[in-house]
Amino acid sequence: MSSSTEHADALAELIAGRIPDARGRFGPFGGRYVPETLIPALDRLEEGVREHLRAPSFQQELAAELSSWVGRPTALTFAGRLSGRWGAKIWLKREDLAHTGAHKINNALGQALLARRLGARRIVAETGAGQHGVASAAACARLGLPCTVYMGAVDMERQAPNVGRMRLLGATVVPVTGGDATLRAAIDEALRDWVSDPLETYYLLGSAVGPHPYPYLVRELQAVIGREARAQIREKTGALPEAVIACVGGGSNSIGMFHAFVPDRDVEIIGVEAGGKGPALGDNAATISHGRPGVLHGTYSLLLQDADGQVQETQSVSAGLDYSGVGPEHAFLAHIGRVRYESAGDQEALDAVRTLCETEGILPALESAHALAGAKRWAERHPGGTVVVCLSGRGDKDMPTLQRTLLKGDQ
Amino acid sequence: MNAHESITAAIRAANARGEPALVAYLTAGFPSRERFLEDLRQVAEGADVVEIGVPFSDPMADGVTIQRSSRVALSQGVSLGWILGELERMTPRPRAPLLLMSYLNPLLAFGADRLAETARRAGVGGFIVPDLPFDEGEPMRAAFAARGLALVRMVTPVTQPERLRRICADSQGFVYAVTMTGTTGKHVAVPQEVTQYLDAVRALSPVPVCAGFGIRGREQLERLRGHVDGVVIGSALVETLERGADPAAWLRGLRNAER
Ligand SMILES: Cc1ncc(COP(=O)(O)O)c(C=O)c1O
């Protein structure tokens, strides 16, 4: 069998809802590579997902909270002046307007509701940009659950506004100084916490990474982004877009955006990773472009690593994309060729922040700015085409970095 | 005798002397890369089985001591390939069987078959892989089995009975019974639940049962006596090496207290 037939078959399986399989595999990727201590907790979570996620009572509770507390559906905004500047019709899916300022709340709320049904006594979470930490803290406050957030010391400095927000929202923020002191080390530490109390602590993982069933669970909770966007663009333009674009850190906003469009074979799907300072190992966080298969944080996926299998430190102006791994479903979508992954560098992202501020009056998160940079390139190749960009979050949290970069020299 | 049988035999030999086997852990190349083989020789003098830790960038099952030893070893350029090369040139090899303890990714990067072959030549008897749970064993398990190398499986106090039975039946060399839910390096109190759990594992297991995680001193060893075939001493020994103390004497001290 040729590999293109294999890939077509794999895509058909995915569209039919048979991927991930019972063992949490997306083709060769995924699975569960965790200490035995966590297996009962993952089994219970998997059972909980099966029992609750599609149950009408859970879906009603989630839908009501998404509408009245998160503010969904989020708008789909036509970016007229930006379109004029870049030459294609650019639509923005406004996850920056969701409560707490990013798509992360869709997942945090959904998992917190699930955790409550599973009888969790406390929640632990990791955070990079701080958006998942803020979303978790908010969801836990709303549901009356104690919340501890692990955050790399480097990220606490560059995303300082979010640290204060988490604390105000009642979370305990624990600085992580080990390892690279960014998102990867924060996940290591959250896992260590969970291993110490696997049955009463719920680990609220913030991206489409980690052991099965997290990549699946996070996708299902984020898929609302693409479902809404697909209906909205058809309503507003009468057609599907030619392309959808999202940024890829661990891969949650992107998988949420992409999922509904995967069966639309004429829609080009593009994921944009952090190109950082350049292509050399250690200078970026472009896992799919530069990584090799391996195991990190419980899943077999692509990974930035050296020849000895040691995980590489990464580099990106954006804390939320600064991660050496990527969700296994993205590795799979790249493998079968359904999604194209490219990267945008720090400077391109910063330029996109400035452009969106100037043309549309929107300050995007540095993460989301990578997707905009991808849209700019797409527009050059497809003048007059229609593209939907996932604007995953707002940029207020990035002020310390923006002061040092775009605003350098200003008073 | 297969490599994995020699591990079981070393534990049974200690039991025949009336004592639990000492399985001693050190991180390769910590505190010093130059002293690795000498440290290993000394540790092996005081132990029945030696676990050599392969440092990894993300040791998620480990507490602060082994996180630190791993970081220092990595910063000195220690890798799986280097460790295997050192072991291969070591003469004479220690009498105590050697195991490698490694997270999965460095093993995957080396390649399962090449790893099994190189490890066999270097005199390694088997592997402990803390992030490789029972269901995800392949392709490592098959590659190891083809060369008689042990894949030592772990069970924990929260492992369900049916799974416990299957893991014990599959484990080679011994079964590693994690004493508690948590990372390495803490101090486990050994309450009655722990000894009951260890008794249950032992009743099921065709191979010896060694308890590990959080075992630091004599008092704990006394409480475990009669409930285990061996104990794994990790962080406490790493700290001993870090202090520059004689590891063989320190391990002998634990043993003498056992009588
Ligand atoms: C606004 C925003 N977008 C994107 C990301 C990247 O994460 P993911 O790839 O899981 O969407 C983050 C992560 O913190 C974020 O805060």
Side-chain angles (χ1 to χ4, degrees), chain A residues 92-280:
Chain A
L92 304 174
K93 179 58 177 164
R94 300 290 305 282
E95 293 302 297
D96 61 316
L97 296 178
H99 179 45
T100 66
H103 70 289
K104 297 285 182 188
I105 194 71
N106 304 323
N107 170 54
L109 172 66
Q111 285 199 52
L113 287 169
L114 185 61
R116 191 169 65 175
R117 287 188 181 220
L118 295 178
R121 277 198 313 106
R122 68 189 273 270
I123 303 286
V124 293
E126 83 297 335
T127 197
Q131 287 302 118
H132 176 59
V134 169
S136 298
C140 287
R142 174 85 173 159
L143 301 183
L145 289 163
C147 179
T148 299
V149 181
Y150 291 92
M151 186 170 191
V154 169
D155 291 339
M156 286 179 75
E157 190 272 323
R158 60 179 164 171
Q159 309 280 273
N162 273 343
V163 177
R165 291 171 77 201
M166 283 183 265
R167 291 191 167 135
L168 278 175
L169 290 164
T172 304
V173 183
V174 182
V176 180
T177 52
D180 60 357
T182 67
L183 180 56
R184 174 160 62 95
I187 298 179
D188 286 340
E189 209 52 38
L191 284 167
R192 290 188 188 109
D193 181 317
W194 194 28
V195 166
S196 304
D197 181 25
L199 298 182
E200 308 224 311
T201 293
Y202 182 95
Y203 180 23
L204 209 173
L205 187 47
S207 191
V209 300
H212 180 63
Y214 284 107
Y216 166 75
L217 173 59
V218 175
R219 176 188 85 191
E220 292 300 301
L221 292 170
Q222 292 291 5
V224 65
I225 303 173
R227 263 199 317 274
E228 286 177 8
R230 191 173 181 280
Q232 288 165 318
I233 191 82
R234 290 178 81 186
E235 190 199 305
K236 293 187 189 216
T237 70
L240 288 171
E242 284 154 73
V244 298
I245 301 185
C247 68
V248 183
S252 68
N253 87 90
S254 47
I255 206 69
M257 181 70 173
F258 297 167
H259 190 60
F261 290 98
V262 163
D264 300 322
R265 292 170 200 231
D266 294 334
V267 176
E268 187 182 357
I269 306 181
I270 300 169
V272 185
E273 299 188 298
K277 291 191 299 195

Side-chain angles (χ1 to χ4, degrees), chain A residues 68 83 111 134 141 183 366 376 381 407:
Chain A
S68 75
S83 298
Q111 285 199 52
V134 169
L183 180 56
L366 276 166
K376 179 174 186 226
R381 296 194 299 271
L407 295 173

Side-chain angles (χ1 to χ4, degrees), chain A residues 25 184 188 295 305 310, chain B residues 57-59 62 105 136 163:
Chain A
R25 293 278 170 180
R184 174 160 62 95
D188 286 340
V295 166
Q305 56 184 317
Q310 303 298 337
Chain B
S57 50
D58 291 74
D62 286 299
N105 203 52
E136 302 279 11
R163 187 173 173 93

Side-chain angles (χ1 to χ4, degrees), chain A residues 23 25 30-40 43 177-179 184-185 187-189 191-199 292-298 300 303 305-312, chain B residues 54-63 67 71 74 77-81 104-110 130-136 138 154-160 163 167 178 180-183 186:
Chain A
R23 296 181 58 226
R25 293 278 170 180
R32 272 184 183 179
Y33 296 90
V34 294
E36 264 304 317
T37 310
L38 291 180
I39 294 292
D43 280 343
T177 52
R184 174 160 62 95
I187 298 179
D188 286 340
E189 209 52 38
L191 284 167
R192 290 188 188 109
D193 181 317
W194 194 28
V195 166
S196 304
D197 181 25
L199 298 182
R292 286 181 296 114
V295 166
L296 175 67
H297 296 147
Y300 181 72
L303 185 57
Q305 56 184 317
D306 68 14
D308 296 325
Q310 303 298 337
V311 182
Q312 268 298 305
Chain B
V54 178
F56 182 51
S57 50
D58 291 74
M60 66 158 147
D62 286 299
Q67 289 176 44
R71 191 166 60 242
L74 285 175
V78 171
S79 68
L80 177 57
L104 183 58
N105 203 52
L107 307 184
L108 290 175
F110 205 89
D131 58 346
L132 188 66
F134 181 60
D135 334 70
E136 302 279 11
E138 303 306 338
M154 296 174 123
V155 298
T156 80
V158 292
T159 306
Q160 295 301 303
R163 187 173 173 93
I167 295 176
V178 176
M180 55 170 188
T181 55
T183 54
K186 297 183 176 161

Side-chain angles (χ1 to χ4, degrees), chain A residues 6-17:
Chain A
E6 265 174 49
H7 293 167
D9 290 351
L11 180 59
E13 287 288 294
L14 178 63
I15 292 168

